[in-house]
Amino acid sequence: MERAFSIFVISLSRRSPGEGGRIRVSFFVISAFACPAVVPRLRDEGGCFVICFPFCASCVTFPFMRRAIYPGSFDPITNGHLDVIERARKLFDEVVVAVAHNDEKQPLFSLKDRLDLLRETAGKIDNVRIAEFEGLLVEFARKEEAGAVIRGLRAVSDFEFEFQMALMNRKLDAAVETIFLMPKEEYTYLSSRIVKEIARLGGDVSAFVPVLVARALAIKLKKNISTK
Ligand code: PNS
């Protein structure tokens, strides 16, 4: 009976990939096996509720887990990126901030540095995870079982490229939806490229990036930039 029930719930959860399926399967399996086995034994001792509640709660919670990927070069992360992450994490159970290898863009920071800076900033925020990916974004989204890709949209100038990318990604995998989020107005003119240019010319970037990033830029560019 228990075995039949677990097979049934596994097949149910496999039918809807992209929503935390792996975790869901394991919790369902544990619940399906443990509840029927444990309940009769503990009912008499009054401990049934204590054991059953976490299992049942997991059954209710995990099927609805929503995960989004926030991809980018993050060379380096700016306050604009952090603003988008804050907005995205309110809409999803988990936001995976994914750094593209993107070597053809010749980034200022190495992949390791970009990941470290992200881990020390965005990585400290609840329900945000930092990852890296190589190859197609939609394949990474599929691997992560994410149903959405987040992109920040600052101005009309962003639109053409973003529109093309969103439609191409939809063509590659219709199950992955692109969601555009607008950062605070004060960040609409902000980009990693402009921050790097200001830093390179000796300007103060402390209002545009986390302190850690401003320091990393100063070290990288060997300029005397005030990081406060
Ligand atoms: O921060 P960026 O540089 O604007 O990010 C661009 C990024 C990394 C999101 C984009 O280049 C990308 O998705 N690269 C992965 C390769 C891919 O899937 N290309 C097809 C998308 S049209």
Side-chain angles (χ1 to χ4, degrees):
M1 175 63 187
E2 291 107 66
R3 215 169 281 269
F5 182 55
S6 23
I7 290 165
F8 171 67
V9 287
I10 288 170
S11 61
L12 264 187
S13 53
R14 280 215 176 131
R15 226 170 287 156
S16 55
E19 290 159 26
R22 229 173 339 188
I23 307 167
R24 197 161 70 247
V25 166
S26 41
F27 271 89
F28 271 134
V29 172
I30 295 167
S31 314
F33 274 101
C35 281
V38 169
V39 173
R41 222 170 295 153
L42 289 182
R43 198 172 11 224
D44 299 338
E45 296 160 29
C48 159
F49 178 77
V50 177
I51 297 292
C52 279
F53 182 74
F55 291 131
C56 297
S58 72
C59 292
V60 172
T61 310
F62 282 105
F64 302 109
M65 183 154 180
R66 299 262 167 202
R67 182 176 293 125
I69 308 287
Y70 180 34
S73 306
F74 301 105
D75 183 39
I77 182 168
T78 66
N79 291 342
H81 292 129
L82 285 170
D83 184 90
V84 170
I85 292 168
E86 273 299 335
R87 287 168 203 281
R89 79 183 196 90
K90 287 176 195 148
L91 301 173
F92 292 90
D93 299 310
E94 185 178 50
V95 175
V96 182
V97 179
V99 188
H101 282 216
N102 254 1
D103 289 334
E104 68 276 10
K105 277 204 170 176
Q106 296 182 323
L108 174 67
F109 290 97
S110 68
L111 179 68
K112 184 188 172 300
D113 287 349
R114 284 180 281 154
L115 282 164
D116 285 347
L117 290 172
L118 276 166
R119 284 192 190 107
E120 290 300 315
T121 52
K124 306 270 186 212
I125 304 170
D126 276 353
N127 69 308
V128 173
R129 178 156 58 87
I130 311 300
E132 59 184 279
F133 76 101
E134 206 171 0
L136 284 178
L137 173 61
V138 287
E139 263 165 32
F140 178 71
R142 220 177 286 149
K143 190 178 125 252
E144 286 285 343
E145 301 182 322
V149 164
I150 303 289
R151 292 289 288 171
L153 204 55
R154 291 162 300 188
V156 182
S157 52
D158 280 343
F159 185 75
E160 205 173 313
F161 172 67
E162 295 298 336
F163 187 66
Q164 185 185 24
M165 199 162 77
L167 290 185
M168 181 52 80
N169 282 334
R170 181 186 283 170
K171 190 85 185 157
L172 293 171
D173 188 341
V176 179
E177 206 63 68
T178 301
I179 295 176
F180 295 109
L181 294 177
M182 284 175 292
K184 243 188 227 162
E185 303 83 77
E186 61 197 83
Y187 298 136
T188 48
Y189 55 85
L190 189 56
S191 73
S192 298
R193 186 186 60 78
I194 283 184
V195 166
K196 282 183 283 189
E197 189 171 320
I198 296 169
R200 206 171 275 132
L201 298 171
D204 179 8
V205 293
S206 59
F208 313 128
V209 291
V211 180
L212 211 76
V213 175
R215 280 198 201 117
L217 276 165
I219 293 166
K220 196 90 189 161
L221 300 167
K222 295 192 174 52
K223 296 262 181 194
N224 273 342
I225 298 167
S226 160
T227 56
K228 295 195 174 146

